[in-house]
C-alpha cells in the first residue's frame, strides 16, 4: 500500500487532550490534587498547543551518520550523559550498596540497585523541568554478565539475583549546575519491583480457576512481574508496564495441553533462564497455571512506594509490548497495545467509565471495567475492531470459552476465532497530534515461509527482515469500531537490491523499528532493534549500530538523531515537559549473537558505558540535551 499523507489535511481534527497535555505539571496537579478539579478543564478542546518553535521546521538538527563506534553519537551541539546504569543504587535511605564491577553483588544487594536491561520509561515532573521521577522497566537478565562466573555452579542465590534484576525501578532525578542530571539519593520515592514482589490480580479474570495455583488458591495474588518491555502512562498519574516474553521463563511440561501449546509451552521448551531449577513455580509440569498469571498490563503508582502493583486482567493477556493511553472526548480511557510475537495481534481496550479527577485513588478501578477489542486490517485500507466479548460471535461456551475470564486468559485463542489480522511482531504504539495511532511492526522473517501465513495488505512483505510502521485513525473518536489505515513507512533503503529489504524511507535508512514516541511538539521518534538474526550480517554491517531517528508525521521525512554502542537496542523515550531534556535507554550494549555474554570475556563487543578494563557493558539511561539549552530536535 502506498504511503498516503493526504488524509492528514482533512477536517477531522482532534479535540481530544493528548497525553502530553494531561501529563504536564500544571495539569498533573489538577489531576493528582483532586479537590475541586474539573474534568472539563482536562477535556476542553485544546485547539492545537503552541509549538516552542513557532513556524520553524519540526526537525532542526543535522543528521548523524551510521557508525559502529562504542559510544553514543548525537548531532552537533548536543550532549549525551549516562545516568543510572545497571547496578547503581536506586537510593533507598540507608540502603545503597555500591555496584561491584566484577558482578559480585549479592541478590539482596541487586534488589536495592538498578535492574538489568532498561526498557520502557517515563519522566514524571515533580519539580517541573528540573526534577522528577523516572519509572524504568528492566526487561530481562543476561546471566553471563550478572554473576562473576556466569551460569557456573547455578544456585538458588543466582536465581534470586536474576529475579531481582528484573522488574521496575522508580528513581528520583534532578538537574544540577551546568545542566547535568543526577539520581537523588536517598529519595522517599526510590523503589524496586522485582520478579518476586507481591502483586494483585484485578478485573474480570481475577480469581478465575485458570489463575489459581497451590500457593495462591484464590488466584488473586502473584509474586512478581516478568519481562517488562514498553510502557505507558495514565492521565491519573500512574505507570503502565507490560509483561512481554514471559513464556520463556517456564519449562514446558512433558504433555502440554492445547492452551499451553498456543502460548508456546512445549515438551523441553523454555527454561532459558533456568529459574525452574531452584524455583519450582517456573516448572509448568508442576504448576500448570502459573504461566497464566503473567502477560498482563501492570499498573504502578510511582508517587506511592507503598502501593501494591496491580495486574489489570480486563485488558487481556498477551506477550504484550506496552500500553498507550488515549482519552475519548467524554473522558474514557482507551489503551492500545500490540503483542510482540510473530503473527500475533494488536489490541485496544475502552474503559466503561470516564476518568475522574483525584488521581489514582479516584481511578483505582477504571482499568477493571471495559471492552477489549482486537484489530482486523482489511485490504481496502479500512479496518475493524472486533470485541472479545464472551457470548458474542464465536466466543461461546460451546467453543471452549466458559466465561469472560477465560476469554481474557485465552486472548490469543479468542483473537484466532474472531479472524483478527496476524501481524509482523507489533511493538510500541504512539499517537500523534492528528489522532493517528502508530504501531511498529519490527520484523517477521517467517512471513510467507512454508506452513506460515503469507503476505496481506497490512503485512505486505514476505521474509520481512526490515519491519514497517503501520498507523490508523479511528472513525469518530478513539472508541470507534472502524478505522482507516496506511503504512507510515516500510523500513529499509529504497535502493536496496534485495526486494524484501527494499523500503520507502524518505531520509535516513534504518531497519527493525521498535520504540515509538511522539513528543510534545509532535515529532515521531523511532528507535531501532536491528539484529543479525532479523536482518542478516550484510544489512547489519551496512546500517551499523542501533539508532534513534526523528520523523515528521506530515512530510514523512525521517532523520537519524542518535546512534548507540554496538550490540544495544535503543528504547524508552521520554522527556521534561519543556522538551529541553530527553531521556532514553540503551539496552543490552555488547549483546552477543547468543544473547548471553561470556563471563570470561564480557567486553568482547562493547565496554560501554564505563570503558574500564575490569568492567562489563551495562544497560543505562541516557540524558540528551542541547548544549545551548534549547529544545531537543529543533
Ligand atoms: Fe521487548 Fe518486543 O521488545
Ligand atoms: Ca521492544
Ligand atoms: Ca532486543
Ligand atoms: Ca524488539
Amino acid at each position: 500500500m502506498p504511503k498516503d499523507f493526504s488524509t492528514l489535511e482533512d477536517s477531522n481534527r482532534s479535540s481530544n487532550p493528548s497525553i502530553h497535555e494531561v501529563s504536564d505539571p500544571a495539569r498533573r496537579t489538577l489531576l493528582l490534587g483532586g479537590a475541586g478539579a474539573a474534568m472539563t478543564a482536562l477535556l476542553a478542546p485544546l485547539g492545537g498547543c503552541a509549538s516552542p518553535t513557532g513556524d520553524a521546521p519540526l526537525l532542526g538538527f543535522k543528521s548523524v551518520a551510521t557508525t559502529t563506534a562504542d559510544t553514543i553519537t548525537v548531532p552537533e551541539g548536543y550532549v549525551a550523559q549516562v545516568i543510572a546504569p545497571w547496578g547503581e543504587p536506586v537510593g533507598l535511605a540507608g540502603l545503597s550498596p555500591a555496584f561491584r564491577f566484577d558482578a559480585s553483588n549479592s541478590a539482596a544487594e541487586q534488589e536495592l540497585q538498578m535492574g538489568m536491561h532498561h526498557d520502557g520509561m517515563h519522566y514524571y515532573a515533580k519539580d517541573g523541568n528540573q526534577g522528577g521521577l523516572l519509572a524504568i522497566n528492566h526487561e530481562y537478565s543476561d546471566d553471563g554478565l550478572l554473576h562473576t562466573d556466569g551460569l557456573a555452579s547455578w544456585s538458588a542465590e543466582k536465581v534470586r539475583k536474576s529475579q531481582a534484576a528484573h522488574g521496575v525501578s522508580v528513581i528520583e532525578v534532578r538537574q544540577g549546575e551546568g545542566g547535568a542530571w543526577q539520581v537523588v539519593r536517598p529519595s522517599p520515592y526510590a523503589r524496586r519491583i522485582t520478579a518476586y514482589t507481591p502483586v494483585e490480580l484485578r478485573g474480570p479474570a481475577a480469581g478465575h480457576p485458570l489463575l489459581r495455583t497451590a500457593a495462591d488458591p484464590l488466584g488473586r495474588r502473584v509474586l512478581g512481574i516478568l519481562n517488562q518491555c514498553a510502557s505507558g502512562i495514565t492521565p491519573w498519574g500512574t505507570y503502565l508496564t507490560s509483561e512481554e516474553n514471559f513464556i520463556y521463563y517456564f519449562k514446558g511440561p512433558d504433555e502440554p495441553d492445547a492452551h499451553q501449546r498456543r502460548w508456546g509451552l512445549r515438551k523441553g521448551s523454555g527454561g532459558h533462564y533456568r529459574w525452574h531449577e531452584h524455583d519450582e513455580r517456573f516448572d509448568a509440569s508442576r504448576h500448570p497455571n502459573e504461566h497464566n498469571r503473567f502477560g498482563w498490563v501492570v499498573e504502578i503508582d510511582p508517587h506511592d512506594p507503598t502501593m501494591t502493583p496491580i495486574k489489570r486482567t480486563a485488558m487481556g493477556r498477551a506477550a504484550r509490548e506496552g500500553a498507550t493511553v488515549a482519552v475519548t472526548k467524554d473522558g474514557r480511557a482507551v489503551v492500545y497495545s500490540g503483542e510482540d510475537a510473530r503473527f500475533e495481534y494488536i489490541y485496544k481496550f475502552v474503559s466503561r467509565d470516564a476518568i475522574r479527577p483525584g488521581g489514582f485513588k479516584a481511578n483505582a478501578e477504571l482499568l477493571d471495567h471495559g471492552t477489549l477489542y482486537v484489530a482486523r486490517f482489511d485490504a481496502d485500507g479500512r479496518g475493524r475492531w472486533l470485541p472479545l466479548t464472551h457470548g458474542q460471535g464465536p466466543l461461546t461456551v460451546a467453543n471452549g470459552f466458559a466465561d469472560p475470564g477465560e476469554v481474557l486468559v485465552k486472548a490469543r485463542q479468542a483473537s484466532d476465532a474472531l479472524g483478527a489480522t496476524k501481524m509482523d511482531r507489533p511493538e510500541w504504539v504512539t499517537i500523534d497530534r492528528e489522532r493517528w495511532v502508530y504501531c511498529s511492526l519490527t520484523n517477521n522473517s517467517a512471513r510467507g515461509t512454508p506452513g506460515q501465513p503469507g503476505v496481506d495488505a497490512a503485512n505486505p512483505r514476505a521474509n520481512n527482515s526490515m519491519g514497517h510502521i503501520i498507523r490508523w485513525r479511528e472513525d469518530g473518536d478513539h472508541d470507534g469500531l472502524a478505522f482507516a489505515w496506511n503504512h507510515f513507512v516500510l523500513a529499509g533503503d529504497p535502493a536496496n537490491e534485495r526486494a524484501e529489504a527494499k523500503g520507502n524511507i524518505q531520509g535516513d535508512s534504518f531497519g527493525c523499528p521498535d520504540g515509538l514516541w511522539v513528543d510534545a511538539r509532535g515529532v515521531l521518534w523511532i528507535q531501532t532493534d536491528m539484529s543479525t538474526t532479523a536482518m542478516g550480517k550484510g544489512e547489519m554491517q551496512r546500517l551499523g549500530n542501533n539508532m534513534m531517528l526523528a520523523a515528521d508525521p506530515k512530510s514523512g521525512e525521517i532523520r537519524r538523531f542518535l546512534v548507540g554502542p554496538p550490540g544495544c537496542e535503543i528504547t524508552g523515550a521520554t522527556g521534561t515537559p519543556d522538551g529541553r531534556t530527553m531521556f532514553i535507554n540503551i539496552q543490552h550494549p555488547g549483546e552477543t549473537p547468543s544473547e548471553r555474554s561470556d563471563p570470561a570475556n564480557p567486553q568482547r563487543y562493547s565496554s560501554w558505558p564505563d570503558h574500564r578494563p575490569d568492567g562489563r557493558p551495562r544497560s543505562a539511561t541516557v540524558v540528551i540535551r542541547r548544549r545551548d539549552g534549547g529544545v531537543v530536535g529543533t
Side-chain angles (χ1 to χ4, degrees), residues 229 321 427-428 514 569:
C229 196
E321 183 78 12
E427 299 239 33
W428 287 65
D514 188 340
E569 70 174 80

